[in-house]
């Protein structure tokens, strides 16, 4: 899981990494791998390669890759619009391109995404302020937030923290100008275009809407993950 923590230091919300002259840009034109969306591929150390999407809306492609198992690969780490491939041994670019082309055509080999219903007490300290800035009443904020269906885009920032796509546009608000020194475990919050749940006590600048007792850390529930939410899972919030 060290790779996950390393990727949490990437630019906020997946800001673009500037292109390097050594990158190999793969196009989805008919002459070049039509089953792959446009992206760049760059070496990331002796046993790692980074796939950077040209369009963040193609995140489904990264989720599909991350659901695969392959003898060459030790771990996949999904970020906002990129995927880090860690291999057991150094691999040439041509081999990685061949791998991507092959896996893009296969079905997922790991367990399917899970759906989670998370009960929330909407008693967060920022609920009234969020309502004010969005031009809504607190009850309307709760209704919008709880009627949406979310999907785990990636894990980052802190262990097991899930960036959730699906936040209604009316609730797209900047993060707090001054982060709080302490957000409680189970704090349900929004920031920018994402919703999230703090899995551990930590500083944080997201807008705090409520709290949940949903079990987020379950080291014995899965052989390959200690946290409940995984990339690709879906989630709904239910007012408690």
């Amino acid at each position: 899981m060290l790779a996950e923590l390393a990727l949490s230091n990437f630019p906020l919300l997946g800001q673009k990494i500037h292109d390097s002259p050594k990158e190999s840009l793969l196009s989805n034109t008919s002459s070049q791998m039509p089953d792959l969306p446009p992206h760049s591929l760059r070496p990331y150390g002796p046993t790692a390669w980074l796939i950077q999407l040209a369009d963040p809306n193609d995140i489904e492609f990264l989720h599909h890759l991350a659901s695969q198992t392959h003898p060459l690969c030790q771990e996949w780490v999904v970020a906002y619009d990129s995927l880090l491939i860690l291999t057991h041994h150094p691999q040439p670019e041509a081999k990685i391109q061949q791998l991507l082309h092959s896996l893009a055509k296969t079905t997922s080999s790991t367990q399917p995404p899970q759906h989670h219903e998370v009960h929330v007490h909407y008693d967060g300290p920022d609920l009234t302020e969020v309502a004010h800035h969005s031009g809504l009443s607190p009850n309307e904020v709760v209704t919008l937030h709880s009627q949406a269906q979310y999907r785990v885009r990636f894990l980052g920032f802190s262990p097991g923290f899930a960036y959730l796509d699906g936040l209604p546009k009316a609730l797209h608000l900047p993060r707090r100008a001054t982060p709080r020194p302490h957000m409680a475990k189970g704090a349900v919050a929004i920031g920018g275009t994402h919703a999230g749940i703090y899995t551990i006590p930590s500083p944080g600048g997201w807008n705090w809407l409520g709290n949940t007792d949903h079990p987020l850390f379950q080291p014995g529930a899965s052989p390959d993950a200690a946290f409940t939410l995984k990339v690709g899972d879906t989630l709904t919030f239910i007012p408690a």
Side-chain angles (χ1 to χ4, degrees):
M1 304 309 291
L2 292 177
E4 176 183 313
L5 296 178
L7 281 189
S8 69
N9 292 322
F10 272 29
L12 286 179
L13 297 181
Q15 294 172 354
K16 293 294 184 183
I17 300 173
H18 293 295
D19 291 342
S20 158
K22 295 183 179 180
E23 291 174 5
S24 171
L25 185 64
L26 302 180
S27 169
N28 67 345
T29 60
S30 58
S31 61
Q32 293 181 318
M33 297 187 182
D35 48 347
L36 301 181
H39 64 279
S40 61
L41 180 65
R42 70 185 73 176
Y44 223 69
T47 58
W49 289 83
L50 185 76
I51 305 170
Q52 181 75 45
L53 291 176
D55 183 352
N57 291 323
D58 289 325
I59 187 67
E60 180 63 30
F61 171 59
L62 303 186
H63 288 180
H64 175 75
L65 292 177
S67 70
Q68 310 291 320
T69 57
H70 191 279
L72 288 181
C73 301
Q74 180 179 358
E75 188 177 3
W76 308 92
V77 184
V78 181
Y80 175 78
D81 57 0
S82 62
L83 176 70
L84 185 68
I85 308 172
L86 293 105
T87 58
H88 292 284
H89 307 287
Q91 300 293 335
E93 179 181 344
K95 189 72 172 180
I96 299 299
Q97 290 184 4
Q98 183 182 22
L99 172 69
L100 299 182
H101 186 57
S102 174
L103 292 181
K105 299 177 181 178
T106 63
T107 58
S108 299
S109 56
T110 58
Q111 68 177 25
Q114 304 295 307
H115 180 72
H116 307 268
E117 293 186 346
V118 177
H119 293 264
V120 181
H121 294 279
Y122 283 94
D123 54 2
D126 295 329
L127 178 59
T128 300
E129 187 175 351
V130 167
H132 172 74
H133 287 297
S134 59
L136 302 168
S137 69
N139 285 340
E140 288 171 329
V141 171
V142 170
T143 297
L144 273 178
H145 184 262
S146 61
Q147 286 185 346
Q149 176 160 297
Y150 301 88
R151 188 176 189 191
V152 178
R153 185 181 185 96
F154 72 105
L155 304 179
F157 166 62
S158 64
F161 185 95
Y163 285 74
L164 303 174
D165 283 340
L167 183 68
K169 192 169 184 179
L171 298 179
H172 289 187
L173 297 173
R175 303 177 191 184
R176 295 178 58 83
T178 303
R180 282 188 172 85
H182 178 83
M183 297 284 285
K185 173 186 174 181
V188 175
I190 59 175
T193 62
H194 292 91
I197 309 172
Y198 283 75
T199 55
I200 59 174
S202 73
W206 289 34
N207 302 287
W208 192 345
L209 299 184
N211 298 276
T212 182
D213 295 324
H214 192 81
L216 299 170
F217 180 60
Q218 295 182 297
S222 170
D224 57 356
F227 291 91
T228 303
L229 300 179
K230 303 176 182 64
V231 168
D233 281 1
T234 57
L235 182 154
T236 51
F237 293 109
I238 300 175

